[in-house]
Each structure stands twice: as C-alpha cells, then as structure tokens.
Amino acid sequence: MKIAFIGGGNMAAALIGGLVARGVASSSFVVVEPAALQRETLRERFGVVAIESADLDALQGSALCVLAVKPQQMRAAIEGLGAALSQALVVSIAAGIRSGDVSRWLDGHRRIVRAMPNTPALIGRGVTGLFAVSGLAEVDRDLAARTLTAVGEVVWVDAESALDAVTAVSGSGPAYVFLMMEAMQQAACTLGLDERQARVLVLNTFAGAAELALRSDEPIALLRERVTSKGGTTAAALDVFEASPLRAIFVDALCAAQRRGAQLGEEFGK
Ligand SMILES: NC(=O)c1ccc[n+]([C@@H]2O[C@H](COP(=O)([O-])OP(=O)(O)OC[C@H]3O[C@@H](n4cnc5c(N)ncnc54)[C@H](OP(=O)(O)O)[C@@H]3O)[C@@H](O)[C@H]2O)c1
C-alpha cells in the first residue's frame, strides 16, 4: 500500500516512525517536504522516499495520504492535488482546517478524515481525536484509526465541531500539564528542595498518577478522595486549591483554546 505524506515535520516523523515500528515497509512511503535537511533526516531515520515538491507521478496511486503541514500552509500545499490523490483516503492532522475546505482544495475529494493528535505521539503515547466525513466507508475509518493508533490511543467524535473541543483538551493539553509541572517545581523549590530533586519528584508524580488513573476503571474523583485522609496533609493542600477558582479557570482556558481552533478554521479555510 502506497502512503503519501504532504509535510514531513515533527508530526509526520512521529507517524511514519510509529507505522514503521508496526511493520509497515519503508518503501511504502513517499513524503513531500520542501526543507532539504528534513528530507535528509527522514531518509536516514526511516529509509523513505522524500521529495521536494508534490509530483503527480510520485503521489498517484496512493491509498492513504496524510496532510501534515501547518494550517496556514495547507491550501498552497494541496490545491491541485485532487487528481493525484483520487484513490486515497485523505487524513488531515492540521488544527482547525475543516474537511469541507480540504475537499474543495482537492477538487471535491470525498474520502476525508480529520485527526487531532498531540505531541506525546512523538514517543508513541499520544491521543488523537478523529472525525470522519459523512458516508465514509468502514474500511476507510479502520485505516484512519489504524494509522493514528500507531502513535497512541484514538477517540472518534461524531460532529466536526467537536474537534475544536478535542484540540482544546488533548491537542493543546500537554502544554497545560507542563505549566502545572512548572508551577509545582517552583513551589517545591520554595519549600527548600533543589531544582533536580524537584524535577524528579514532580515528573514522576505526574507520570505515576496518570498511569495509576489509566490502569483504574474508577472515577478520577474517587482516586483523589482515596489519597486524601481527613485532616491530613493532602486535604490541607486540596482545601487551598478548592477555595480558589481553579476549576472555573480550566473551563475558561479550554473555552479560549476551543474558540481559537474555530478561528483558525475561518482564517485559513478561505
Ligand atoms: N505539534 C502538535 O502538537 C500538533 C498537534 C496536533 C496537530 N498538529 C498539526 O500537525 C500539523 C503539522 O505539525 P508539525 O508540528 O509536524 O509541524 P512542522 O514540524 O512545522 O511540519 C510541517 C512541515 O510541512 C512542511 N511544508 C510546508 N509547506 C509545505 C508544502 N507546500 N508541501 C509540503 N510540505 C510543506 C514544512 O516545511 P517548512 O518548515 O520548510 O515550512 C514542515 O517541515 C499542523 O497542521 C498542526 O496543526 C500538531
């Protein structure tokens, strides 16, 4: 099966790496990537064919094409490729860009899935929201899910607008987690621990707590209550958190990200 990538940056490399690790032959891939250094890196790391610009002959016959350019680059990158990709399931991972715009730029192409991965995909621990245009065949949905499963978990959504919420939660989410880690590390230093001690304690607390929650079927609130004995140290800290508008701040922040996702679609979908 021939697999094309338009854009060979970070996300493309993560996906190609995940697919190769799952046994997809390097010779299946053709990657369109204008940056010479990046093309060289892709050839060296994965043994794939990497070309400078979209060449109809090179793309023709692709069964799958992943669109992995920045939202603002999308239109210029794919306009005019409709004929070359006529046999392909097209999976776009660009934030905000709507399936209708991708279809228009690809001369009315109908087999489209939008995907919103996140950066832990780089280490195979991502999570991706997926949306299929109406009428998409089950085999195409399976192919899209199998492709993104190569770099982590997948979650399907029924409405395209829900992808802006996915972007706000998991697409941008790693940055919120890094912010919380930073804040906790700074607090740890304020308590007298040094930077290195604080880093080890904080990172492993996040990783361990997340792994514990992932391995449990119980609600997250219950896990929190279980480590919070009445009158204890955890309760003392949680009382401070809950007395602040922390939960409302999360809602405001995620709403801002969701709105920005919708704006990007408006801005770059023209
Ligand atoms: N990173 C994330 O957390 C994340 C999460 C979810 C979704 N995404 C989406 O994934 C997409 C790719 O992100 P990324 O982080 O992989 O970006 P990236 O590293 O900048 O990769 C994009 C690549 O596409 C190349 N490109 C530009 N114009 C092109 C064209 N006309 N034809 C072919 N390739 C072209 C760029 O080359 P130049 O550098 O020379 O411009 C760059 O190497 C974005 O749309 C983003 O919204 C990213």
Side-chain angles (χ1 to χ4, degrees):
M1 181 175 90
K2 184 161 159 183
I3 304 173
F5 273 77
I6 310 294
N10 292 319
M11 274 293 162
L15 276 166
I16 294 167
L19 291 165
V20 168
R22 290 191 163 214
V24 178
S26 302
S27 56
S28 312
F29 298 91
V30 54
V31 185
V32 180
E33 167 56 53
L37 190 63
Q38 188 60 20
R39 283 200 302 280
E40 202 42 50
T41 306
L42 290 167
R43 287 184 195 118
E44 271 173 22
R45 277 183 72 189
F46 308 117
V48 299
V49 170
I51 56 176
E52 185 175 2
S53 58
D55 167 336
L56 293 197
D57 286 341
L59 295 182
Q60 211 128 37
S62 301
L64 170 67
C65 177
V66 179
L67 307 180
V69 295
K70 296 277 187 206
Q72 58 272 32
Q73 299 165 331
M74 186 63 83
R75 182 178 185 160
I78 68 170
E79 218 166 20
L81 297 183
L85 297 176
S86 61
Q87 294 166 48
L89 167 68
V90 170
V91 176
S92 168
I93 65 166
I97 301 293
R98 294 180 193 124
S99 58
D101 294 316
V102 172
S103 171
R104 185 161 45 84
W105 295 330
L106 291 178
D107 310 315
H109 195 81
R110 296 173 65 88
R111 293 168 58 206
I112 298 171
V113 167
R114 268 187 65 192
M116 177 43 59
N118 64 0
T119 48
L122 299 174
I123 54 159
R125 292 293 305 267
V127 61
T128 299
L130 289 172
F131 166 77
V133 296
S134 72
L136 194 80
E138 207 51 40
V139 284
D140 281 344
R141 289 175 67 102
D142 284 353
L143 177 57
R146 268 188 286 127
T147 304
L148 273 305
T149 302
V151 288
E153 292 287 326
V154 300
V155 174
W156 283 98
V157 295
D158 293 330
E160 185 158 9
S161 58
L163 279 185
D164 292 329
V166 171
T167 306
V169 176
S170 54
S172 304
Y176 320 152
V177 175
F178 296 141
L179 176 70
M180 288 186 275
M181 287 175 170
E182 253 181 277
M184 214 156 132
Q185 192 179 13
Q186 279 164 358
C189 291
T190 308
L191 301 187
L193 296 167
D194 70 32
E195 286 258 345
R196 206 197 61 80
Q197 292 165 331
R199 184 182 164 91
V200 174
L201 292 168
V202 169
L203 293 190
N204 284 286
T205 300
F206 271 83
E211 196 60 45
L212 200 62
L214 274 172
R215 290 189 196 186
S216 166
D217 289 332
E218 289 171 326
I220 297 171
L222 194 65
L223 298 176
R224 172 176 51 75
E225 281 160 20
R226 214 171 270 147
V227 292
T228 315
S229 30
K230 216 164 175 221
T233 58
T234 311
L238 288 179
D239 284 350
V240 176
F241 283 128
E242 294 290 15
S244 78
L246 184 69
R247 289 176 192 264
I249 289 172
F250 268 93
V251 176
D252 286 352
L254 268 64
C255 283
Q258 184 186 34
R259 277 196 304 276
R260 185 64 191 133
Q263 275 170 3
L264 281 176
E266 292 285 335
E267 221 171 298
F268 300 119
K270 292 183 185 121

